[in-house]
Amino acid sequence: MSPTHETMRELSGLYVLGALAPADLAEFESHLESCEICRAEVSALRPVAAGLSAVVPQVEPPALLRGRVLEAVTGKSTSSHARVPPASAPIAPWLAAAALLAAAALGGYAAQLRGRITNLEDQLEQAIARVSAADRQVADARRTALDAQFQVAVLAAPDLLRIDLGGLPPAPTANARAFWSRSRGMVFTASNLPALSPGRVYQLWVIPDQGPPISVGLLEPDPTGTLTRVFQTPADLPPPMTVAVSEEPAGGVPLPTGQLYVAGKPI
């Protein structure tokens, strides 16, 4: 909207109240002929102005009060005995009318502003959700790419050792395979592992020829009992005589406490 339009629109309340100066009145009525928005606003304000006479009592201000106001404005004293002509129009109703019209206009603007703010907040939440989803997808893709690179590096290692694991009595159809390189780490795959009870987890172990089992890490298969994991193993990890998977409490344990589900030796 142009500045002229906004200026004219601000005069709508005074126009409905009949309080515009002649010059402003002529200019505003000329504007109304070409502005549908201002005509609609004037139409909406007329019922408010019409009802003011019934809402606000017509009060004639006391003559003494008028004298005090004139004295404050002109700086001239007025005799308390002088006859003060009655005011041509009551003051209170006009002030109340202007206040009510201003309140109505501000209320409508505030409602529009609240609606816009709510709409912007919704758009912001949707944008944040889209960004978060995109970030998760990027993170998943990056993790998948890094895992693939790690697997290729392990499988191409000159010191690669392969261990096939067969199912034990708790999981006779399960099977797994480990590829281990002292210099590059371990890739472990498994299938047909039974579903775990709540609060339980699978744990992967390297069991050396001498000494206690060494935990490689925790395993969480998908609903079909399948998984592929990569592990960075310490450079001083002894050559495994056996690789096994046990069922343990969530979070894992320092040494195996549960049943072994799959186990195998290097080929």
Side-chain angles (χ1 to χ4, degrees):
M1 298 294 178
S2 66
T4 300
H5 169 85
E6 293 301 329
T7 301
M8 291 294 101
R9 189 174 181 179
E10 292 175 358
L11 300 179
S12 298
L14 295 176
Y15 175 76
V16 171
L17 294 172
L20 287 177
D24 291 334
L25 177 62
E27 185 178 3
F28 185 79
E29 288 181 339
S30 176
H31 175 73
L32 282 181
E33 294 177 358
S34 59
C35 182
E36 183 177 351
I37 295 176
C38 287
R39 287 200 301 272
E41 185 158 347
V42 167
S43 297
L45 292 176
R46 286 192 189 280
V48 178
L52 290 174
S53 59
V55 175
V56 182
Q58 303 291 312
V59 178
E60 177 73 21
L64 181 59
L65 173 61
R66 185 173 185 275
R68 289 176 179 174
V69 171
L70 291 175
E71 181 179 343
V73 172
T74 62
K76 298 179 180 180
S77 299
T78 59
S79 172
S80 59
H81 300 290
R83 184 176 183 277
V84 179
S88 58
I91 297 175
W94 292 103
L95 294 176
L100 288 176
L101 287 173
L106 289 175
Y109 176 74
Q112 294 177 6
L113 187 58
R114 283 194 299 269
R116 292 176 184 173
I117 292 173
T118 300
N119 185 45
L120 289 174
E121 288 175 343
D122 292 342
Q123 293 179 19
L124 178 59
E125 290 179 0
Q126 294 172 11
I128 292 174
R130 288 194 295 270
V131 170
S132 298
D135 287 345
R136 286 193 297 270
Q137 292 176 354
V138 170
D140 290 344
R142 183 179 294 114
R143 185 166 48 252
T144 300
L146 290 175
D147 285 352
Q149 292 175 0
F150 186 88
Q151 293 179 43
V152 170
V154 171
L155 295 176
D159 59 343
L160 182 67
L161 185 65
R162 188 181 112 183
I163 304 101
D164 291 334
L165 293 75
L168 299 176
T173 63
N175 59 82
R177 179 169 292 171
F179 298 92
W180 177 65
S181 163
R182 178 183 300 280
S183 61
R184 300 184 182 179
M186 180 180 289
V187 176
F188 184 83
T189 65
S191 60
N192 295 328
L193 288 172
L196 290 166
S197 302
R200 307 292 290 181
V201 69
Y202 287 117
Q203 191 162 356
L204 178 63
W205 304 93
V206 165
I207 304 174
D209 187 22
Q210 295 181 350
I214 301 170
S215 175
V216 178
L218 303 180
L219 305 171
E220 295 183 5
D222 65 19
T224 67
T226 301
L227 63 87
T228 297
R229 285 288 312 276
V230 295
F231 298 97
Q232 294 279 1
T233 54
D236 60 352
L237 183 71
M241 292 302 296
T242 301
V243 175
V245 174
S246 66
E247 180 189 355
E248 305 296 346
V253 291
L255 293 172
T257 61
Q259 290 183 304
L260 298 181
Y261 278 66
V262 290
K265 297 179 179 297
I267 296 177

